[in-house]
Amino acid sequence: MKYESINNSIEIANLFNYMGRVYTLLFREDLAIQYFLKSLKVYDKILNNRDGVAMNYVDIGNLYYGQENYEFASKYFNDALKLYVELHDEDGVATCYTNLGNVYADNKNISKGLNYYYKSIKIQEKFNFKEGLATNYNNIGDCYISLKQYNEAILYFDKAMKIVNENNATGLEIIIYYNLANLNIKQNNINKAIDYNFKSLNLSVETGDLQFQIENLQSLADNYDKIGNLKKSYEYLKKYNKLRDSVFEKEKRKNVGLFHALNELENKRLTIDELSSKNELAEIKYENEKKISYVLIILMTIFVVFLVISINLHTAKKKAYNLMEFKNHQINKMNEEIQQQTIKLKQLNSTKDKFFSIIAHDLKNPFNSIQGFTELLIDNYKEYSDEKKLKFLKIIKGSSLKASNLLSNLLLWANNQSGNLSFTPTKIELALLVSESISFVEIQAFNKEINIINNVDNHIFVYADENMINTVLRNLVSNSIKFTYSKGEIQIYSTIKEDFVEICVKDNGIGIAADEIENLFNIEIKNTSVGTANEHGSGLGLILCKDFVEKSGGKIWVESTPNVGSEFKFTLPIFKG
């Protein structure tokens, strides 16, 4: 190969991929997968080119999709999708979404297929990918036919046809007319269905699309039979059978016999030329040696037969080797995923053990206080003054609130980690949510005479889970109250930054040392400090804040100066109607 001789790896990888696609069109999937794997190996091991790897994953996925092996098709489309997301390749991501939509829709999972089509459309509308939009609109229309939602189907076919007419996309126009015919058949509008079949048929004849000529001829035969026009039905049935048989024979000759025919033709041509030369020489010089020539012909024929058998055996062996290599590739990939999951589970288990150790330690203090002071009150109730009793009751109340808050955060964290905590993002008016969160901690602020100012801009709407963000705001404001001196001030304000809004909870409290900030959101390190009024905490609230903000698509951080104050900041996506 020329590219191999000049050591041009990128051209070799491209050529292998191109050959795989050619063999796919010739229905030689066994050879196609061989070249896709060769291309994948060069892109992955030699070039470390993730874009090329993703391209081959898509082609392998299409092979499985063509064989109706939807499980493996979706696996490779998802592998390609991950790479395109990492590469920020919006076109590749949209293509994978469309392919996954086809897989799930064809496998009778219509709702999941529609979800992927809508994801693809969202990207294609952003970049104005006209052909992709028309394809997805047509696919969605086809799904709505299966769901018997015919008005929705018509709406999306109209959208697709509008783009097709503007861009002269004849190939897709053929498919849309054919789908409109099927839609009208479902609605028992047979005459209208026949009109659409003729439109699809005429365009497929113009473009030479034999597959849709066959589909439309069969549909016309069925439709004329339904309206009782048996003459027309028989006429189109004959055309259908004739074209189908012709295409079948042509494809069979072209795709099945092409490779063996070319190789055998060349071998036989060389053999015949050699034998002809020998025969001519024998006839001129030795007429009486014709019998020897016949023997030679027979021997050569036997040799050719033996050679063909050897080639077939070698081909079968090579196919088996390629299949084994492909399976090994899949097994290695699965082993890597299992190892990654094992490491992740070990880390989660270790984190869980450390976390429950912290919680067990922090729960002991409030419960010991409640038990101890309760026993003192019971044993010495008559001897203690009312002032001392009230003091003990306040201590018991504070310990109860601490235990209650700790258990509440623990329950939220446990539900979040187990996946039982539902995440339901909606449109939220931010200023209103901040006001509601402040109302929950007003008593805490009132006791320390701390002023809380809500400077969040009105009419800012975010897209997040209301309960989660309420928990985040409540924890952050409560922390600020805890570490702010009596008669201090807390400000909450917002700043728009591109597609996100940044929310800041600012106090003028004791601040945080620089060496403590980096571990503030780390569950493996216990972060508890005593507040300005000797308040205690577990540090779990900030862990919840981090989990909930990141689940909403944002990030959280802190900026602080000791003895000056702290600014806890986090971002949320802006709602776009």
Side-chain angles (χ1 to χ4, degrees), residues 395-454:
I395 293 172
I396 292 170
K397 178 185 177 183
S399 297
S400 299
L401 286 173
K402 181 182 176 183
S404 176
N405 289 334
L406 185 59
L407 288 171
S408 177
N409 281 339
L410 172 60
L411 180 61
L412 282 172
W413 184 86
N415 282 332
N416 186 46
Q417 295 298 307
S418 65
N420 293 328
L421 189 63
S422 64
F423 175 66
T424 310
T426 58
K427 176 184 177 182
I428 304 170
E429 186 173 357
L430 185 59
L432 182 61
L433 184 64
V434 171
S435 297
E436 291 175 358
S437 300
I438 291 173
S439 68
F440 281 101
V441 294
E442 277 181 342
I443 295 176
Q444 185 183 351
F446 177 79
N447 290 334
K448 295 182 73 172
E449 298 183 66
I450 293 172
N451 186 26
I452 302 176
I453 302 171
N454 182 0

Side-chain angles (χ1 to χ4, degrees), residues 398-532:
S399 297
S400 299
L401 286 173
K402 181 182 176 183
S404 176
N405 289 334
L406 185 59
L407 288 171
S408 177
N409 281 339
L410 172 60
L411 180 61
L412 282 172
W413 184 86
N415 282 332
N416 186 46
Q417 295 298 307
S418 65
N420 293 328
L421 189 63
S422 64
F423 175 66
T424 310
T426 58
K427 176 184 177 182
I428 304 170
E429 186 173 357
L430 185 59
L432 182 61
L433 184 64
V434 171
S435 297
E436 291 175 358
S437 300
I438 291 173
S439 68
F440 281 101
V441 294
E442 277 181 342
I443 295 176
Q444 185 183 351
F446 177 79
N447 290 334
K448 295 182 73 172
E449 298 183 66
I450 293 172
N451 186 26
I452 302 176
I453 302 171
N454 182 0
N455 283 328
V456 174
D457 294 338
N458 290 323
H459 308 302
I460 292 178
F461 294 91
V462 296
Y463 188 65
D465 186 292
E466 184 171 353
N467 291 328
M468 288 186 178
I469 303 308
N470 207 332
T471 301
V472 172
L473 287 166
R474 196 165 63 246
N475 272 288
L476 293 181
V477 176
S478 179
N479 270 359
S480 291
I481 295 171
K482 174 181 172 182
F483 294 108
T484 299
Y485 294 106
S486 179
K487 298 183 180 180
E489 182 179 273
I490 297 172
Q491 296 183 43
I492 306 172
Y493 58 89
S494 59
T495 308
I496 300 294
K497 294 190 175 181
E498 295 182 354
D499 294 335
F500 289 82
V501 58
E502 180 182 291
I503 302 102
C504 177
V505 180
K506 180 180 180 181
D507 64 57
N508 56 359
I510 62 177
I512 307 168
D515 59 339
E516 295 178 3
I517 288 178
E518 60 180 301
N519 295 319
L520 207 56
F521 298 99
N522 190 347
I523 195 172
E524 297 189 19
I525 297 176
K526 183 176 175 65
N527 296 295
T528 56
S529 301
V530 179
T532 57

Side-chain angles (χ1 to χ4, degrees), residues 325-336:
E325 184 180 354
F326 178 54
K327 292 296 183 184
N328 286 337
H329 171 74
Q330 290 179 307
I331 291 169
N332 291 335
K333 193 170 183 64
M334 292 172 66
N335 284 335
E336 290 175 4

Side-chain angles (χ1 to χ4, degrees), residues 343-355:
I343 294 170
K344 186 176 180 181
L345 286 172
K346 287 181 179 178
Q347 291 174 342
L348 288 173
N349 198 42
S350 174
T351 299
K352 179 205 68 177
D353 292 341
K354 292 179 181 177
F355 171 74

Side-chain angles (χ1 to χ4, degrees), residues 41-78:
K41 186 175 182 181
V42 177
Y43 274 122
D44 188 19
K45 304 299 183 184
I46 299 176
L47 296 172
N48 193 25
N49 185 319
R50 291 184 296 167
D51 187 54
V53 172
M55 175 180 66
N56 278 286
Y57 280 161
V58 170
D59 288 329
I60 293 172
N62 283 327
L63 277 183
Y64 278 118
Y65 176 71
Q67 297 296 316
E68 297 183 5
N69 189 334
Y70 300 126
E71 179 183 355
F72 281 96
S74 63
K75 179 176 177 58
Y76 276 95
F77 289 146
N78 275 311

Side-chain angles (χ1 to χ4, degrees), residues 78 91 97 261 272 440:
N78 275 311
D91 190 19
Y97 281 155
I272 291 170
F440 281 101

